[in-house]
Amino acid sequence: MRAKTWVFVAVSLDVYIARSNDELDWLDTANGQITPGEDCGYAAFISNVDTIIMGRGTFDKARSFKEWPYGGIPVTVLSRTLTKAPAGSPSTVTITDQTPFAIVEELSQSGAKKIYVDGGLTIQRFLKVGLIDELIITTIPVLIGGGKRLFGELSSDARLGLVSSASYSFGFVQSHYRRIA
Amino acid sequence: MRAKTWVFVAVSLDVYIARSNDELDWLDTANGQITPGEDCGYAAFISNVDTIIMGRGTFDKARSFKEWPYGGIPVTVLSRTLTKAPAGSPSTVTITDQTPFAIVEELSQSGAKKIYVDGGLTIQRFLKVGLIDELIITTIPVLIGGGKRLFGELSSDARLGLVSSASYSFGFVQSHYRRIA
């Protein structure tokens, strides 16, 4: 069975995932204080992720952090220019230039059940070929007016089912959508 | 006291208010059947609107409908080219080329308390100068991939307070945001 592909992302109300310069400073724009320790479900979400698929941009950003943010989870990086992981990369990193379908197929055959797809362009690329199954989108109560968009062009409408939606006392709204086959 | 300015709008999950050709066919993309008679709060919202402000594009679209959709509510149309309402317009229509501030000031002095601002470019223009007080946004569970956007560029972030958020059994999510002064 094909692994399910998941998006778990925070967006501004105008649906940007980052400013043009990649800054995420707007992410903590809350109505009052964010409940201490509240991670909006991220730890529960990531706890049973088999593999993370991301683009080169997200990979480079993750490498720039003091601590590699994905622990021991296998990470597949999409790149047309890299042929192998740069020196110093975690041993969990694999570089590939395969298509989304080929990657998901291969991971599924290796037993993957829950794949986390991350990074704006990568998410758009997977959505375009109908390869995103579940989206958990957390909307921050702020308009930032420009930046990197979560969604891009599609060749046809993508209908989604709303699985659940809930709001936090500090003004975030989290909605879970599922692809309608 | 200045009248409150309201937005009440439906958007696709990728935050378009219409396709590029103005089509709204995607608006009824629901999870199952929309509850018969359900208007997602529109009748209650419009019942105490004093004045509607809209751009020329929205005005022309409204005029093309078999029935004028705004009943007896006074409508102010922003236009730089029209000097008076076209022949056959309802008597409730006023044309103006004043600035958003001047219009809201004048309407407030005439006793307006709740102004409905409609049309993508007009909403963007009012948001840009901090002149939208309340937004009720209903998100339809579909990605349409392109079209006319609800939000545009801003000169700085606009922080919002989440007043409430709720979902409908047929997959729409409605969130009410309020400008933080």
Side-chain angles (χ1 to χ4, degrees):
Chain A
M1 215 175 90
R2 180 165 79 70
K4 295 285 184 210
T5 45
W6 289 71
V7 166
F8 187 102
V9 73
V11 297
S12 63
L13 182 59
D14 40 4
V15 196
Y16 295 103
I17 55 171
R19 296 194 199 270
S20 301
N21 63 2
D22 283 324
E23 263 192 76
L24 299 173
D25 57 296
W26 51 273
L27 271 182
D28 59 2
T29 310
N31 299 165
Q33 205 200 353
I34 297 175
T35 313
E38 179 61 72
D39 74 348
C40 299
Y42 181 74
F45 164 77
I46 200 83
S47 69
N48 57 355
V49 164
D50 304 303
T51 312
I52 303 171
I53 299 176
M54 62 179 64
R56 172 71 186 278
T58 306
F59 175 55
D60 283 344
K61 198 165 59 186
R63 287 170 65 211
S64 76
F65 295 155
K66 241 183 286 181
E67 197 177 341
W68 177 248
Y70 304 109
I73 305 172
V75 172
T76 297
V77 177
L78 301 182
S79 174
R80 288 190 190 89
T81 52
L82 291 174
T83 50
K84 60 189 181 77
S89 300
S91 62
T92 47
V93 171
T94 307
I95 309 287
T96 184
D97 63 353
Q98 288 186 288
T99 65
F101 268 108
I103 297 167
V104 172
E105 169 97 359
E106 190 175 304
L107 290 169
S108 301
Q109 282 174 359
S110 308
K113 296 207 160 26
K114 183 177 181 181
I115 298 172
Y116 174 20
V117 179
D118 202 18
L121 293 177
T122 303
I123 293 170
Q124 290 180 18
R125 197 171 157 202
F126 275 66
L127 275 171
K128 213 166 186 167
V129 294
L131 255 186
I132 295 295
D133 297 304
E134 311 269 348
L135 296 108
I136 297 176
I137 299 173
T138 305
T139 303
I140 314 299
V142 65
L143 299 169
I144 64 173
K148 304 206 164 160
R149 301 173 63 183
L150 172 57
F151 296 114
E153 288 179 19
L154 296 171
S155 46
S156 62
D157 290 359
R159 295 186 57 174
L160 301 161
L162 179 71
V163 178
S164 61
S165 181
S167 61
Y168 291 89
S169 60
F170 42 91
F172 294 8
V173 175
Q174 187 174 76
S175 297
H176 178 175
Y177 292 94
R178 181 168 291 161
R179 189 172 65 89
I180 293 181
Chain B
M1 215 173 91
R2 182 165 78 69
K4 294 285 184 208
T5 46
W6 289 72
V7 166
F8 187 103
V9 73
V11 296
S12 63
L13 182 58
D14 40 5
V15 196
Y16 295 103
I17 55 170
R19 296 194 198 271
S20 302
N21 63 2
D22 283 325
E23 263 193 76
L24 299 172
D25 56 297
W26 51 274
L27 271 182
D28 60 1
T29 310
N31 299 167
Q33 203 200 353
I34 298 175
T35 313
E38 180 59 73
D39 73 347
C40 298
Y42 180 74
F45 165 76
I46 200 84
S47 68
N48 57 355
V49 163
D50 304 304
T51 311
I52 303 171
I53 299 176
M54 62 178 63
R56 171 71 187 277
T58 306
F59 175 54
D60 284 343
K61 197 164 60 186
R63 287 171 64 211
S64 77
F65 294 155
K66 241 184 286 181
E67 198 177 340
W68 177 248
Y70 304 109
I73 305 172
V75 172
T76 297
V77 177
L78 301 181
S79 174
R80 288 191 190 88
T81 52
L82 290 175
T83 49
K84 59 188 180 77
S89 300
S91 61
T92 48
V93 171
T94 306
I95 309 288
T96 184
D97 63 354
Q98 288 187 287
T99 65
F101 268 109
I103 296 167
V104 172
E105 169 97 357
E106 189 175 304
L107 290 170
S108 301
Q109 282 174 357
S110 309
K113 296 206 158 31
K114 183 176 181 181
I115 297 172
Y116 174 19
V117 179
D118 201 19
L121 293 178
T122 303
I123 293 170
Q124 290 180 18
R125 199 173 155 200
F126 275 66
L127 275 171
K128 213 165 188 168
V129 294
L131 256 187
I132 295 294
D133 297 304
E134 311 269 347
L135 296 107
I136 297 176
I137 300 172
T138 306
T139 302
I140 313 298
V142 65
L143 299 169
I144 64 173
K148 304 207 164 161
R149 301 172 63 183
L150 173 56
F151 296 115
E153 290 179 16
L154 296 170
S155 46
S156 62
D157 291 359
R159 296 186 57 173
L160 301 162
L162 179 70
V163 178
S164 61
S165 181
S167 61
Y168 291 89
S169 59
F170 43 91
F172 294 8
V173 175
Q174 186 174 76
S175 297
H176 178 175
Y177 291 95
R178 181 168 292 160
R179 189 171 67 89
I180 293 180

